Amino acid sequence: MTVSRTVELEGHIIDSGTMQRCFEVIMDLGGDFDVEAFDVGHHKDEESYARLRVLAPDDAALQSIVHELHQSGVNPADPEDATLTPAPADRVVPAGFYSTTNHPTAVRVEGEWVEVADIEMDCAVVVEGVGEEGETTARTQVLNGIEADDLVVTGEAGIRVRPPDRPRDASGPFGFMRGGVSAERPSVSRIRTVAEALAEVKADGGNVLVVAGPAVIHSGAGDALARLVREGYVDALSAGNGFATHDVERGLYGTSLGMNIETLEHPRKGHKHHIYAISEIVRAGGIAEAVDDGIVTEGVMYECVANDVDVVLAGSIRDDGPLPDTITDTVEAQNEIRRQAHEADMVVMLSTLLHSVAVGNCLPSSTRVVCVDINPATVTQLLDRGSAQAVGLVTDVGTFVPTLADELLD
């Protein structure tokens, strides 16, 4: 017995490789296909369309193939309404719930397509307002935020996913990095391209989120990042206790983790400077209070307070102190990171594996992402986790940030 399902692809499906991936998925999972229609766009701004009849030996195999195709934006030609199942209890999703990708998604409810708000990967979709007066809405929800009787989308029916199209040429802010990861040295032309993208986002009134690790301070790039904050190129900062601690230490004692950044010497008792810095902030009541009291007078955290930048410091089990501003509740920290991610139009990740992956998991695929790290594993792990829209530069953040600041400001 052979079963089949007709599916559709549309967009720049040739340039993005979507068509090839679909053929590979079908054949790898033991299926076959007939191309019923194929209309190719003949100009750069024209999209292509294909309709395929997918064949499989049984229903289980067909469902597996259709599920995999769906992740690449392939949708049924005859969509049905999405299946909505009430959650049985708080923090419990129905069996077979639909787990989201990070691509723009819509669900079909009562014959109408409803866009899913705040899209991110690995979430459930909750639909509200069904059968009521007013607008029906859909949104992503993390599993620990599910409440009893929430209407959760289950199965694969009535779901439409739209991965971002890959441009046909090398034009545009990220054209040079279409390969994903660049392991070349930080040439001025590459950093200039990132600067142009940042300037474009800000000119359009967009939101720029910087995700920074302690290496930014250790490498001497803190002053340049502080300049970018002061000049309005950073709207939000996501970091950890270590980044803020060493930034404050740098301002108070001229060291980062006990090392003088200018001379690379280790002054006597320098290894205690970060603890002294934490104690000064604790005594003041927080970083903002320390700024108001004149204790902290320079650095990235100072500029964030002075310029009203949205800062989230997420704690970890290895934090010293921690600073009063550090969020030590993991779920609360996740929620705050998620809020920042949903507001961002562009994200610049600087030398932090854990924070880069954490923020990347919360981002829709439509958000521009640049990840900079001397360790190629940071960049590749971010892409492997599903943030396929991210472009990476494997280079020294101590060179990248000052050069970026010069390109933008000088």
Side-chain angles (χ1 to χ4, degrees), residues 124-160:
V125 175
V126 173
V127 177
E128 298 173 320
V130 179
E132 302 175 3
E133 291 187 6
E135 184 181 7
T136 299
T137 61
R139 57 181 170 82
T140 56
Q141 181 61 277
V142 292
L143 301 195
N144 63 28
I146 293 292
E147 298 180 356
D149 298 323
D150 277 347
L151 291 180
V152 178
V153 175
T154 54
E156 303 287 338
I159 303 167
R160 186 172 63 193

Side-chain angles (χ1 to χ4, degrees), residues 35-325:
V35 180
E36 297 183 342
F38 189 19
D39 297 325
V40 180
H42 293 279
H43 301 283
K44 291 180 180 180
D45 58 348
E46 290 183 350
E47 297 183 343
S48 301
Y49 169 84
R51 185 172 67 248
L52 310 178
R53 188 164 69 97
V54 180
L55 303 101
D58 52 56
D59 287 331
L62 180 62
Q63 178 63 23
S64 179
I65 293 172
V66 171
H67 172 79
E68 290 300 321
L69 292 177
H70 188 262
Q71 308 305 301
S72 296
V74 180
N75 299 297
D78 52 345
E80 307 169 0
D81 279 356
T83 302
L84 306 179
T85 306
D90 290 351
R91 300 166 63 92
V92 179
V93 290
F97 78 99
Y98 173 74
S99 179
T100 56
T101 69
N102 61 350
H103 301 312
T105 301
V107 293
R108 196 169 187 268
V109 182
E110 297 180 329
E112 300 291 335
W113 288 105
V114 180
E115 292 292 326
V116 178
D118 296 331
I119 193 68
E120 63 176 279
M121 67 177 73
D122 301 333
C123 291
V125 175
V126 173
V127 177
E128 298 173 320
V130 179
E132 302 175 3
E133 291 187 6
E135 184 181 7
T136 299
T137 61
R139 57 181 170 82
T140 56
Q141 181 61 277
V142 292
L143 301 195
N144 63 28
I146 293 292
E147 298 180 356
D149 298 323
D150 277 347
L151 291 180
V152 178
V153 175
T154 54
E156 303 287 338
I159 303 167
R160 186 172 63 193
V161 177
R162 299 186 307 282
D165 285 326
R166 179 176 179 172
R168 288 192 172 190
D169 54 26
S171 63
F174 289 170
F176 78 95
M177 290 185 288
R178 288 192 304 170
V181 179
S182 172
E184 298 184 19
R185 295 180 63 83
S187 68
V188 173
S189 63
R190 280 168 165 72
I191 299 176
R192 182 178 296 128
T193 305
V194 177
E196 290 171 354
L198 275 169
E200 178 184 317
V201 170
K202 293 306 301 177
D204 291 339
N207 181 290
V208 175
L209 168 63
V210 170
V211 184
V216 174
I217 308 301
H218 300 334
S219 65
D223 290 344
L225 181 55
R227 285 181 67 199
L228 292 174
V229 174
R230 183 167 59 251
E231 297 299 328
Y233 284 97
V234 178
D235 299 286
L237 173 70
S238 181
N241 184 75
F243 173 87
T245 295
H246 298 308
D247 177 68
V248 172
E249 175 194 346
R250 164 79 169 80
L252 294 179
Y253 305 106
T255 61
S256 177
L257 203 58
M259 182 187 72
N260 186 296
I261 293 175
E262 279 72 32
T263 66
L264 303 184
E265 296 176 348
H266 291 266
R268 186 170 178 271
K269 293 187 177 180
H271 63 285
K272 298 183 179 181
H273 285 174
H274 72 288
I275 291 296
Y276 293 160
I278 291 172
S279 68
E280 289 297 319
I281 302 302
V282 172
R283 186 177 297 111
I287 296 174
E289 290 81 358
V291 170
D292 292 340
D293 292 344
I295 298 170
V296 175
T297 60
E298 61 179 295
V300 179
M301 301 310 299
Y302 169 82
E303 296 295 347
C304 286
V305 173
N307 294 279
D308 198 27
V309 169
D310 175 24
V311 176
V312 172
L313 302 179
S316 72
I317 194 67
R318 58 187 194 280
D319 286 337
D320 291 322
L323 294 167
D325 307 80

Side-chain angles (χ1 to χ4, degrees), residues 310-343:
D310 175 24
V311 176
V312 172
L313 302 179
S316 72
I317 194 67
R318 58 187 194 280
D319 286 337
D320 291 322
L323 294 167
D325 307 80
T326 301
I327 303 173
T328 56
D329 183 298
T330 302
V331 174
E332 181 184 351
Q334 287 179 347
N335 289 337
E336 285 298 295
I337 288 174
R338 182 169 288 110
R339 175 186 59 77
Q340 285 187 316
H342 291 169
E343 295 173 357

